[in-house]
Amino acid sequence: MSLSRLAVVLGCYLLSGWALLASLMLAGGLMVMERGQPLAMAGGALVLLAWICHLMMSLNWVLDRRMGRGIPVVGTLAALGSALLWPWVFPWDPRSGAGELLSASGLGLVLALPSVLLALWLLPFHGLRLGGRVR
């Protein structure tokens, strides 16, 4: 186990703590409060799946174990899918402008940026190269 890698992962999770907490609360809320709305439930499930994959990739990086491409691909697709569903499942007031939704999304991205950057760093370690080339 690498203590420096553990420090990086813990630092990223601490810096992204508000985003992690908020996204998990939103995902849980969407899945519980919006029963019968498949899009909301799918959005919540994708957020949870993306964070679980992120945690698995991080833990295996700390332990210096390569996972292969499966989990990184699933996590990346889940994160992108949840980001694409965000405008349709976020419980916002329709009288608000789209600018408010974009600012909320931008704030979420800024708060989650350390974990997003960590995920991008971990992809090549686990065998997934950005730019289309896979090793």
Side-chain angles (χ1 to χ4, degrees), residues 16-116:
S16 298
W18 286 112
L20 175 61
L21 181 62
S23 65
L24 292 177
M25 287 174 43
L26 179 64
L30 286 172
M31 293 176 71
V32 172
M33 294 185 314
E34 301 292 333
R35 287 195 175 173
Q37 296 203 1
L39 201 58
M41 291 184 72
L46 286 173
V47 168
L48 291 174
L49 180 60
W51 279 114
I52 289 168
C53 291
H54 194 290
L55 182 62
M56 291 172 64
M57 288 175 19
S58 298
L59 179 62
N60 280 286
W61 181 61
V62 168
L63 297 173
D64 200 27
R65 292 189 296 203
R66 296 182 196 287
M67 299 176 58
R69 295 185 299 252
I71 297 297
V73 167
V74 168
T76 301
L77 292 176
L80 292 173
S82 67
L84 291 174
L85 285 178
W86 176 259
W88 287 277
V89 300
F90 182 73
W92 63 297
D93 186 359
R95 294 173 297 198
S96 308
E100 287 185 31
L101 183 63
L102 288 174
S103 349
S105 297
L107 178 62
L109 178 61
V110 167
L111 291 175
L113 192 59
S115 289
V116 171

Coordinates of all heavy atoms in Angstrom, one line a residue, residues 16-116:
S16 N -13.4 17.4 -2.2 CA -14.6 17.3 -2.9 C -15.8 16.8 -2.0 O -16.8 16.4 -2.5 CB -14.4 16.2 -4.0 OG -13.5 16.6 -5.0
G17 N -15.5 16.9 -0.7 CA -16.5 16.4 0.2 C -17.9 17.0 0.0 O -18.9 16.3 0.1
W18 N -18.0 18.3 -0.2 CA -19.4 18.9 -0.3 C -20.1 18.4 -1.6 O -21.3 18.1 -1.6 CB -19.3 20.4 -0.4 CG -19.0 21.0 1.0 CD1 -17.8 21.7 1.3 CD2 -19.8 21.0 2.1 NE1 -17.9 22.1 2.6 CE2 -19.1 21.7 3.2 CE3 -21.1 20.5 2.4 CZ2 -19.7 21.9 4.4 CZ3 -21.6 20.7 3.7 CH2 -20.9 21.4 4.6
A19 N -19.3 18.2 -2.7 CA -19.9 17.7 -3.9 C -20.3 16.3 -3.7 O -21.4 15.9 -4.2 CB -18.9 17.9 -5.0
L20 N -19.5 15.5 -3.1 CA -19.8 14.1 -2.8 C -21.0 14.0 -2.0 O -22.0 13.2 -2.4 CB -18.6 13.4 -2.2 CG -18.8 11.9 -1.7 CD1 -19.1 11.1 -2.9 CD2 -17.5 11.5 -1.0
L21 N -21.1 14.7 -0.9 CA -22.2 14.6 0.0 C -23.5 15.1 -0.7 O -24.6 14.4 -0.7 CB -22.0 15.5 1.2 CG -23.1 15.5 2.3 CD1 -23.3 14.1 2.8 CD2 -22.7 16.5 3.4
A22 N -23.4 16.2 -1.4 CA -24.6 16.8 -2.1 C -25.1 15.8 -3.2 O -26.3 15.6 -3.4 CB -24.3 18.1 -2.7
S23 N -24.1 15.2 -4.0 CA -24.6 14.4 -5.1 C -25.2 13.1 -4.5 O -26.2 12.6 -5.1 CB -23.4 14.1 -6.0 OG -22.4 13.3 -5.4
L24 N -24.7 12.5 -3.5 CA -25.2 11.3 -2.9 C -26.6 11.6 -2.3 O -27.5 10.8 -2.4 CB -24.3 10.7 -1.8 CG -23.0 10.2 -2.4 CD1 -22.1 9.6 -1.2 CD2 -23.3 9.0 -3.4
M25 N -26.8 12.8 -1.6 CA -28.1 13.2 -1.1 C -29.1 13.4 -2.2 O -30.2 12.9 -2.1 CB -28.0 14.4 -0.2 CG -27.3 14.2 1.1 SD -27.0 15.7 2.1 CE -28.5 16.6 1.9
L26 N -28.7 14.0 -3.3 CA -29.5 14.2 -4.4 C -29.9 12.9 -5.1 O -31.1 12.7 -5.4 CB -28.9 15.1 -5.5 CG -29.7 15.4 -6.7 CD1 -31.0 16.2 -6.3 CD2 -28.9 16.2 -7.7
A27 N -28.9 12.0 -5.2 CA -29.2 10.7 -5.8 C -30.2 9.9 -5.0 O -31.2 9.3 -5.5 CB -27.9 9.9 -6.0
G28 N -30.0 9.9 -3.7 CA -30.9 9.2 -2.8 C -32.3 9.8 -2.8 O -33.3 9.1 -2.9
G29 N -32.3 11.1 -2.8 CA -33.6 11.8 -2.8 C -34.4 11.5 -4.1 O -35.6 11.3 -4.1
L30 N -33.7 11.5 -5.2 CA -34.3 11.3 -6.5 C -34.9 9.8 -6.6 O -35.9 9.6 -7.1 CB -33.3 11.5 -7.7 CG -33.0 12.9 -8.0 CD1 -31.9 13.0 -9.0 CD2 -34.2 13.7 -8.5
M31 N -34.1 8.9 -6.0 CA -34.5 7.5 -6.1 C -35.7 7.2 -5.1 O -36.5 6.4 -5.4 CB -33.3 6.6 -5.8 CG -32.3 6.7 -6.9 SD -30.8 5.7 -6.5 CE -31.5 4.1 -6.7
V32 N -35.8 8.0 -4.0 CA -36.8 7.7 -3.0 C -38.0 8.6 -3.3 O -39.2 8.1 -3.3 CB -36.3 8.0 -1.6 CG1 -37.4 7.9 -0.6 CG2 -35.2 7.0 -1.3
M33 N -37.8 9.9 -3.5 CA -39.0 10.8 -3.6 C -39.6 10.7 -5.0 O -40.8 11.0 -5.1 CB -38.5 12.2 -3.3 CG -38.0 12.4 -1.9 SD -37.6 14.1 -1.4 CE -36.6 14.7 -2.8
E34 N -38.9 10.4 -6.0 CA -39.4 10.4 -7.3 C -39.8 9.0 -7.8 O -39.6 8.7 -9.0 CB -38.4 11.1 -8.3 CG -38.0 12.5 -7.9 CD -39.2 13.5 -8.0 OE1 -40.1 13.3 -8.9 OE2 -39.2 14.5 -7.3
R35 N -40.3 8.2 -7.0 CA -40.7 6.8 -7.4 C -41.7 6.9 -8.5 O -42.6 7.7 -8.5 CB -41.3 6.1 -6.2 CG -40.2 5.7 -5.3 CD -40.6 4.7 -4.3 NE -39.5 4.3 -3.5 CZ -39.5 3.5 -2.5 NH1 -40.6 3.0 -2.1 NH2 -38.4 3.3 -1.8
G36 N -41.5 6.1 -9.5 CA -42.4 6.1 -10.6 C -41.9 6.9 -11.7 O -42.5 6.9 -12.8
Q37 N -40.9 7.7 -11.5 CA -40.3 8.5 -12.6 C -38.9 7.8 -13.0 O -37.9 8.1 -12.3 CB -40.1 9.9 -12.1 CG -41.4 10.6 -11.8 CD -41.3 12.1 -11.9 OE1 -40.3 12.6 -12.2 NE2 -42.4 12.7 -11.7
P38 N -38.9 7.0 -14.0 CA -37.7 6.2 -14.3 C -36.5 7.1 -14.6 O -35.4 6.7 -14.3 CB -38.2 5.4 -15.6 CG -39.5 5.8 -15.9 CD -40.0 6.8 -14.9
L39 N -36.7 8.3 -15.2 CA -35.6 9.1 -15.5 C -34.9 9.6 -14.3 O -33.6 9.6 -14.2 CB -36.0 10.3 -16.4 CG -35.0 11.0 -17.2 CD1 -34.3 10.1 -18.2 CD2 -35.6 12.2 -18.0
A40 N -35.7 10.0 -13.3 CA -35.1 10.4 -12.0 C -34.4 9.3 -11.3 O -33.3 9.5 -10.7 CB -36.2 11.0 -11.1
M41 N -35.0 8.1 -11.3 CA -34.4 7.0 -10.7 C -33.1 6.6 -11.4 O -32.1 6.2 -10.7 CB -35.4 5.8 -10.6 CG -36.5 6.1 -9.6 SD -37.6 4.7 -9.5 CE -36.6 3.6 -8.5
A42 N -33.1 6.6 -12.7 CA -31.9 6.3 -13.5 C -30.8 7.3 -13.2 O -29.6 6.9 -13.0 CB -32.2 6.3 -15.0
G43 N -31.1 8.6 -13.1 CA -30.1 9.6 -12.8 C -29.5 9.4 -11.4 O -28.3 9.5 -11.2
G44 N -30.3 9.1 -10.4 CA -29.8 8.8 -9.1 C -29.0 7.6 -9.1 O -27.9 7.5 -8.4
A45 N -29.4 6.5 -9.8 CA -28.6 5.3 -9.8 C -27.2 5.5 -10.5 O -26.2 4.9 -10.1 CB -29.4 4.2 -10.5
L46 N -27.2 6.3 -11.5 CA -26.0 6.6 -12.3 C -25.0 7.4 -11.4 O -23.8 7.1 -11.4 CB -26.3 7.3 -13.6 CG -26.9 6.5 -14.7 CD1 -27.2 7.4 -15.9 CD2 -25.9 5.4 -15.1
V47 N -25.5 8.3 -10.6 CA -24.6 9.0 -9.7 C -24.0 8.1 -8.7 O -22.8 8.1 -8.4 CB -25.4 10.2 -9.0 CG1 -24.6 10.8 -7.8 CG2 -25.8 11.3 -9.9
L48 N -24.8 7.2 -8.1 CA -24.3 6.2 -7.1 C -23.3 5.3 -7.8 O -22.2 5.1 -7.2 CB -25.4 5.4 -6.5 CG -26.4 6.2 -5.6 CD1 -27.5 5.3 -5.2 CD2 -25.6 6.7 -4.4
L49 N -23.6 4.8 -9.0 CA -22.7 3.9 -9.7 C -21.3 4.6 -10.0 O -20.3 4.0 -9.8 CB -23.3 3.4 -10.9 CG -22.5 2.4 -11.8 CD1 -22.1 1.2 -11.0 CD2 -23.3 2.1 -13.1
A50 N -21.4 5.9 -10.4 CA -20.2 6.6 -10.7 C -19.3 6.7 -9.5 O -18.1 6.5 -9.6 CB -20.5 8.0 -11.3
W51 N -19.9 7.1 -8.4 CA -19.1 7.2 -7.1 C -18.5 5.9 -6.6 O -17.4 5.8 -6.1 CB -19.8 7.9 -6.0 CG -19.9 9.4 -6.2 CD1 -21.0 10.2 -6.5 CD2 -18.8 10.3 -6.1 NE1 -20.6 11.5 -6.5 CE2 -19.3 11.6 -6.3 CE3 -17.4 10.2 -5.8 CZ2 -18.5 12.8 -6.3 CZ3 -16.6 11.3 -5.8 CH2 -17.1 12.6 -6.0
I52 N -19.3 4.8 -6.8 CA -18.8 3.5 -6.4 C -17.6 3.1 -7.2 O -16.6 2.6 -6.7 CB -19.9 2.5 -6.4 CG1 -20.9 2.7 -5.3 CG2 -19.4 1.0 -6.4 CD1 -22.2 1.9 -5.5
C53 N -17.7 3.3 -8.6 CA -16.6 3.0 -9.5 C -15.4 3.9 -9.1 O -14.2 3.4 -9.1 CB -17.0 3.2 -10.9 SG -18.2 2.0 -11.5
H54 N -15.6 5.1 -8.8 CA -14.5 6.0 -8.4 C -13.8 5.5 -7.2 O -12.6 5.5 -7.1 CB -15.1 7.4 -8.2 CG -14.0 8.5 -8.1 ND1 -13.1 8.6 -7.1 CD2 -13.7 9.5 -9.0 CE1 -12.3 9.6 -7.3 NE2 -12.7 10.2 -8.4
L55 N -14.6 5.1 -6.2 CA -14.0 4.6 -5.0 C -13.2 3.3 -5.2 O -12.1 3.1 -4.7 CB -15.1 4.3 -3.9 CG -14.7 3.8 -2.6 CD1 -13.8 4.8 -1.9 CD2 -15.9 3.5 -1.7
M56 N -13.7 2.4 -6.1 CA -13.0 1.2 -6.4 C -11.7 1.5 -7.1 O -10.7 0.9 -6.8 CB -13.9 0.3 -7.3 CG -15.1 -0.3 -6.5 SD -16.3 -1.2 -7.6 CE -15.3 -2.5 -8.2
M57 N -11.8 2.4 -8.1 CA -10.5 2.7 -8.8 C -9.5 3.4 -7.9 O -8.3 3.0 -7.9 CB -10.9 3.7 -9.9 CG -11.6 3.1 -11.1 SD -12.1 4.2 -12.4 CE -11.2 5.7 -12.3
S58 N -10.0 4.2 -7.0 CA -9.1 4.9 -6.0 C -8.4 3.9 -5.1 O -7.2 3.9 -4.8 CB -9.8 5.9 -5.2 OG -10.3 6.9 -6.0
L59 N -9.2 3.0 -4.5 CA -8.7 2.0 -3.6 C -7.7 1.1 -4.2 O -6.7 0.8 -3.7 CB -9.9 1.2 -3.0 CG -9.5 0.1 -2.0 CD1 -8.8 0.6 -0.8 CD2 -10.8 -0.7 -1.6
N60 N -8.0 0.6 -5.4 CA -7.1 -0.3 -6.1 C -5.8 0.4 -6.5 O -4.8 -0.2 -6.6 CB -7.8 -0.9 -7.3 CG -8.6 -2.1 -6.9 OD1 -8.1 -3.1 -6.6 ND2 -10.0 -1.9 -6.9
W61 N -5.9 1.7 -6.8 CA -4.7 2.5 -7.1 C -3.8 2.6 -5.9 O -2.6 2.4 -5.9 CB -5.1 3.9 -7.6 CG -3.9 4.8 -8.0 CD1 -3.0 4.6 -8.9 CD2 -3.6 6.1 -7.4 NE1 -2.1 5.6 -9.0 CE2 -2.5 6.5 -8.0 CE3 -4.2 6.8 -6.4 CZ2 -1.9 7.8 -7.7 CZ3 -3.7 8.0 -6.1 CH2 -2.5 8.5 -6.8
V62 N -4.4 2.8 -4.7 CA -3.7 2.9 -3.4 C -3.0 1.6 -3.2 O -1.8 1.5 -2.7 CB -4.6 3.3 -2.3 CG1 -3.9 3.1 -0.9 CG2 -5.1 4.7 -2.4
L63 N -3.7 0.5 -3.5 CA -3.1 -0.9 -3.3 C -2.2 -1.3 -4.4 O -1.7 -2.4 -4.4 CB -4.3 -1.9 -3.1 CG -5.1 -1.6 -1.8 CD1 -6.3 -2.6 -1.8 CD2 -4.3 -1.7 -0.6
D64 N -2.0 -0.5 -5.5 CA -1.2 -0.8 -6.6 C -1.7 -2.0 -7.4 O -0.9 -2.8 -7.8 CB 0.3 -0.9 -6.2 CG 1.2 -0.7 -7.4 OD1 0.8 0.0 -8.4 OD2 2.3 -1.3 -7.5
R65 N -3.0 -2.1 -7.5 CA -3.6 -3.2 -8.3 C -4.4 -2.6 -9.5 O -5.3 -1.7 -9.3 CB -4.6 -4.0 -7.4 CG -4.0 -4.8 -6.3 CD -5.0 -5.7 -5.7 NE -6.0 -4.9 -5.0 CZ -6.8 -5.3 -4.0 NH1 -6.6 -6.5 -3.6 NH2 -7.7 -4.5 -3.5
R66 N -4.0 -3.1 -10.7 CA -4.7 -2.6 -11.9 C -6.0 -3.4 -12.0 O -6.0 -4.6 -11.9 CB -3.8 -2.8 -13.1 CG -2.6 -1.9 -13.0 CD -1.7 -2.0 -14.2 NE -0.4 -1.5 -14.0 CZ -0.1 -0.2 -13.9 NH1 -1.0 0.7 -14.0 NH2 1.1 0.2 -13.7
M67 N -7.1 -2.8 -12.3 CA -8.4 -3.4 -12.4 C -8.8 -3.8 -13.8 O -9.7 -4.6 -14.0 CB -9.5 -2.5 -11.9 CG -9.3 -2.0 -10.5 SD -10.5 -0.8 -10.0 CE -12.0 -1.7 -10.3
G68 N -8.1 -3.3 -14.8 CA -8.6 -3.5 -16.2 C -9.5 -2.4 -16.5 O -9.7 -1.5 -15.8
R69 N -10.1 -2.5 -17.7 CA -10.9 -1.4 -18.3 C -12.3 -1.4 -17.8 O -13.0 -0.4 -18.0 CB -10.8 -1.4 -19.8 CG -9.4 -1.1 -20.3 CD -9.4 -1.0 -21.8 NE -9.8 -2.2 -22.4 CZ -9.0 -3.0 -23.1 NH1 -7.7 -2.8 -23.1 NH2 -9.5 -4.1 -23.7
G70 N -12.8 -2.5 -17.4 CA -14.3 -2.6 -17.1 C -14.8 -1.5 -16.2 O -15.8 -0.8 -16.5
I71 N -14.3 -1.5 -15.0 CA -14.8 -0.5 -14.0 C -14.6 0.9 -14.4 O -15.5 1.8 -14.3 CB -14.2 -0.8 -12.6 CG1 -14.6 -2.2 -12.1 CG2 -14.6 0.3 -11.6 CD1 -16.1 -2.4 -11.8
P72 N -13.4 1.3 -14.9 CA -13.3 2.7 -15.4 C -14.2 3.0 -16.5 O -14.7 4.2 -16.5 CB -11.8 2.7 -15.9 CG -11.1 1.6 -15.1 CD -12.1 0.6 -14.9
V73 N -14.5 2.1 -17.4 CA -15.5 2.4 -18.5 C -16.9 2.6 -17.9 O -17.6 3.6 -18.3 CB -15.4 1.3 -19.6 CG1 -16.6 1.4 -20.5 CG2 -14.1 1.4 -20.4
V74 N -17.3 1.7 -17.1 CA -18.6 1.8 -16.5 C -18.7 3.1 -15.7 O -19.7 3.8 -15.8 CB -18.9 0.6 -15.6 CG1 -20.1 0.8 -14.7 CG2 -19.1 -0.7 -16.4
G75 N -17.7 3.4 -14.9 CA -17.7 4.6 -14.1 C -17.8 5.9 -14.9 O -18.5 6.8 -14.6
T76 N -17.0 5.9 -16.0 CA -17.0 7.1 -16.9 C -18.3 7.2 -17.6 O -18.9 8.3 -17.6 CB -15.9 6.9 -17.9 OG1 -14.6 6.8 -17.3 CG2 -15.9 8.1 -18.9
L77 N -18.9 6.1 -18.0 CA -20.2 6.2 -18.7 C -21.3 6.6 -17.7 O -22.2 7.4 -18.0 CB -20.6 4.9 -19.4 CG -19.7 4.5 -20.6 CD1 -20.1 3.1 -21.1 CD2 -19.9 5.6 -21.7
A78 N -21.2 6.1 -16.5 CA -22.2 6.5 -15.4 C -22.1 8.0 -15.1 O -23.1 8.7 -15.0 CB -22.0 5.6 -14.2
A79 N -20.9 8.5 -15.0 CA -20.7 9.9 -14.7 C -21.2 10.8 -15.8 O -21.9 11.8 -15.6 CB -19.2 10.2 -14.4
L80 N -20.8 10.4 -17.0 CA -21.3 11.2 -18.2 C -22.8 11.1 -18.3 O -23.5 12.1 -18.6 CB -20.6 10.8 -19.5 CG -19.1 11.0 -19.5 CD1 -18.5 10.4 -20.8 CD2 -18.9 12.5 -19.5
G81 N -23.4 9.9 -18.1 CA -24.8 9.8 -18.2 C -25.6 10.6 -17.1 O -26.6 11.2 -17.4
S82 N -25.0 10.6 -15.9 CA -25.7 11.4 -14.9 C -25.6 12.9 -15.2 O -26.5 13.6 -14.9 CB -25.1 11.0 -13.5 OG -23.8 11.4 -13.4
A83 N -24.4 13.3 -15.7 CA -24.3 14.7 -16.1 C -25.3 15.1 -17.2 O -25.8 16.2 -17.2 CB -22.9 15.0 -16.5
L84 N -25.5 14.2 -18.1 CA -26.4 14.5 -19.2 C -27.9 14.5 -18.7 O -28.7 15.3 -19.2 CB -26.3 13.5 -20.4 CG -25.0 13.6 -21.1 CD1 -24.8 12.5 -22.1 CD2 -24.9 15.0 -21.8
L85 N -28.2 13.7 -17.7 CA -29.6 13.6 -17.2 C -29.8 14.7 -16.2 O -31.0 15.0 -15.9 CB -29.8 12.3 -16.5 CG -30.0 11.1 -17.4 CD1 -30.2 9.8 -16.6 CD2 -31.2 11.3 -18.3
W86 N -28.8 15.4 -15.7 CA -28.9 16.4 -14.7 C -30.0 17.4 -14.9 O -30.9 17.7 -14.1 CB -27.6 17.0 -14.4 CG -27.6 18.1 -13.4 CD1 -27.5 19.5 -13.7 CD2 -27.6 18.0 -12.0 NE1 -27.5 20.2 -12.6 CE2 -27.5 19.4 -11.5 CE3 -27.6 17.0 -11.1 CZ2 -27.5 19.6 -10.2 CZ3 -27.6 17.3 -9.8 CH2 -27.6 18.6 -9.3
P87 N -30.0 18.1 -16.1 CA -31.0 19.1 -16.3 C -32.5 18.6 -16.3 O -33.4 19.3 -16.0 CB -30.7 19.7 -17.7 CG -29.3 19.3 -18.0 CD -29.1 18.0 -17.2
W88 N -32.7 17.3 -16.6 CA -34.0 16.8 -16.6 C -34.5 16.2 -15.3 O -35.7 16.1 -15.1 CB -34.2 15.7 -17.7 CG -34.1 16.3 -19.1 CD1 -35.2 16.9 -19.7 CD2 -33.0 16.4 -19.9 NE1 -34.8 17.3 -21.0 CE2 -33.4 17.1 -21.1 CE3 -31.7 16.1 -19.8 CZ2 -32.6 17.4 -22.1 CZ3 -30.8 16.4 -20.8 CH2 -31.3 17.0 -22.0
V89 N -33.6 15.9 -14.4 CA -34.0 15.3 -13.2 C -33.8 16.2 -12.0 O -34.3 16.0 -10.9 CB -33.3 14.0 -12.9 CG1 -33.6 13.0 -14.0 CG2 -31.8 14.2 -12.7
F90 N -33.1 17.3 -12.1 CA -32.8 18.2 -11.0 C -34.1 18.9 -10.6 O -34.8 19.5 -11.5 CB -31.8 19.3 -11.4 CG -31.4 20.2 -10.2 CD1 -30.7 19.7 -9.2 CD2 -31.9 21.5 -10.3 CE1 -30.4 20.6 -8.1 CE2 -31.5 22.3 -9.2 CZ -30.8 21.9 -8.1
P91 N -34.5 18.9 -9.3 CA -35.7 19.5 -8.9 C -35.6 21.0 -8.8 O -35.4 21.6 -7.7 CB -36.0 18.9 -7.5 CG -34.7 18.5 -7.0 CD -33.8 18.2 -8.2
W92 N -35.7 21.7 -9.9 CA -35.6 23.2 -9.9 C -36.9 23.8 -10.3 O -37.7 23.2 -10.9 CB -34.4 23.6 -10.7 CG -34.5 23.3 -12.2 CD1 -34.6 22.1 -12.8 CD2 -34.6 24.2 -13.3 NE1 -34.7 22.2 -14.1 CE2 -34.7 23.5 -14.5 CE3 -34.6 25.6 -13.4 CZ2 -34.8 24.1 -15.7 CZ3 -34.7 26.2 -14.6 CH2 -34.8 25.4 -15.8
D93 N -37.0 25.0 -10.0 CA -38.2 25.8 -10.3 C -38.2 26.2 -11.8 O -37.3 26.8 -12.2 CB -38.3 27.0 -9.4 CG -39.6 27.8 -9.5 OD1 -40.4 27.4 -10.3 OD2 -39.7 28.8 -8.9
P94 N -39.3 25.7 -12.5 CA -39.3 26.0 -14.0 C -39.3 27.5 -14.3 O -39.0 27.9 -15.3 CB -40.6 25.4 -14.5 CG -41.1 24.5 -13.4 CD -40.4 24.9 -12.1
R95 N -39.8 28.3 -13.3 CA -39.8 29.8 -13.5 C -38.4 30.4 -13.5 O -38.2 31.5 -14.0 CB -40.7 30.5 -12.4 CG -42.1 30.0 -12.5 CD -42.9 30.6 -11.4 NE -42.3 30.0 -10.2 CZ -42.9 29.9 -9.0 NH1 -44.1 30.5 -8.8 NH2 -42.3 29.4 -8.0
S96 N -37.4 29.6 -13.0 CA -36.1 30.1 -13.0 C -35.5 30.0 -14.4 O -35.9 29.2 -15.1 CB -35.2 29.2 -12.0 OG -35.8 29.2 -10.8
G97 N -34.5 30.8 -14.6 CA -33.9 30.7 -15.9 C -32.9 29.6 -16.0 O -32.5 29.0 -15.1
A98 N -32.6 29.2 -17.3 CA -31.6 28.2 -17.5 C -30.2 28.6 -16.9 O -29.4 27.7 -16.6 CB -31.5 27.9 -19.0
G99 N -30.0 29.8 -16.8 CA -28.7 30.3 -16.2 C -28.5 29.8 -14.8 O -27.4 29.5 -14.4
E100 N -29.6 29.7 -14.0 CA -29.5 29.2 -12.6 C -29.1 27.8 -12.6 O -28.3 27.3 -11.8 CB -30.8 29.5 -11.9 CG -31.0 30.9 -11.5 CD -32.3 31.1 -10.7 OE1 -32.6 30.2 -9.9 OE2 -32.9 32.1 -10.8
L101 N -29.7 27.0 -13.5 CA -29.4 25.6 -13.6 C -27.9 25.4 -14.0 O -27.2 24.6 -13.5 CB -30.3 24.9 -14.6 CG -30.1 23.4 -14.8 CD1 -30.4 22.7 -13.5 CD2 -30.9 22.8 -15.9
L102 N -27.5 26.2 -15.0 CA -26.1 26.2 -15.4 C -25.1 26.6 -14.3 O -24.1 26.0 -14.1 CB -25.8 27.0 -16.7 CG -26.4 26.5 -18.0 CD1 -26.3 27.5 -19.1 CD2 -25.8 25.1 -18.3
S103 N -25.5 27.6 -13.5 CA -24.6 28.0 -12.4 C -24.6 26.9 -11.4 O -23.5 26.7 -10.8 CB -25.0 29.3 -11.7 OG -25.9 30.0 -12.2
A104 N -25.7 26.3 -11.1 CA -25.7 25.2 -10.1 C -24.8 24.0 -10.6 O -24.0 23.4 -9.9 CB -27.1 24.7 -9.8
S105 N -24.9 23.7 -11.9 CA -24.0 22.7 -12.5 C -22.6 23.0 -12.5 O -21.7 22.2 -12.2 CB -24.5 22.4 -13.9 OG -25.8 21.9 -14.0
G106 N -22.3 24.3 -12.8 CA -20.9 24.8 -12.7 C -20.3 24.7 -11.3 O -19.2 24.3 -11.1
L107 N -21.1 25.1 -10.3 CA -20.7 25.1 -9.0 C -20.4 23.6 -8.5 O -19.4 23.3 -7.9 CB -21.7 25.7 -8.0 CG -21.4 25.7 -6.5 CD1 -20.1 26.5 -6.3 CD2 -22.5 26.2 -5.7
G108 N -21.3 22.7 -9.0 CA -21.1 21.3 -8.7 C -19.8 20.8 -9.3 O -19.0 20.0 -8.6
L109 N -19.5 21.2 -10.5 CA -18.3 20.7 -11.1 C -17.0 21.3 -10.4 O -16.1 20.6 -10.2 CB -18.3 21.1 -12.6 CG -17.0 20.8 -13.4 CD1 -16.8 19.2 -13.4 CD2 -17.0 21.3 -14.8
V110 N -17.1 22.6 -10.0 CA -16.0 23.2 -9.3 C -15.7 22.5 -8.0 O -14.6 22.1 -7.6 CB -16.2 24.7 -9.1 CG1 -15.2 25.3 -8.1 CG2 -16.1 25.4 -10.4
L111 N -16.8 22.2 -7.3 CA -16.7 21.5 -6.0 C -16.2 20.1 -6.1 O -15.4 19.6 -5.3 CB -18.0 21.5 -5.2 CG -18.5 22.9 -4.7 CD1 -19.9 22.7 -4.1 CD2 -17.5 23.4 -3.7
A112 N -16.5 19.4 -7.2 CA -16.1 18.0 -7.5 C -14.8 17.9 -8.2 O -14.3 16.8 -8.4 CB -17.2 17.3 -8.2
L113 N -14.2 19.1 -8.6 CA -13.0 19.1 -9.5 C -11.9 18.2 -9.0 O -11.3 17.5 -9.8 CB -12.6 20.5 -9.8 CG -11.6 20.6 -10.9 CD1 -12.1 20.1 -12.2 CD2 -11.2 22.1 -11.1
P114 N -11.5 18.2 -7.7 CA -10.4 17.3 -7.3 C -10.7 15.9 -7.6 O -9.8 15.1 -8.1 CB -10.3 17.6 -5.8 CG -10.8 19.0 -5.6 CD -11.9 19.1 -6.6
S115 N -11.9 15.4 -7.4 CA -12.2 14.0 -7.6 C -12.3 13.7 -9.1 O -12.0 12.6 -9.6 CB -13.6 13.6 -6.9 OG -13.3 13.6 -5.5
V116 N -12.8 14.7 -9.9 CA -12.9 14.5 -11.3 C -11.4 14.4 -11.9 O -11.1 13.5 -12.7 CB -13.6 15.7 -12.0 CG1 -13.5 15.7 -13.5 CG2 -15.1 15.7 -11.6

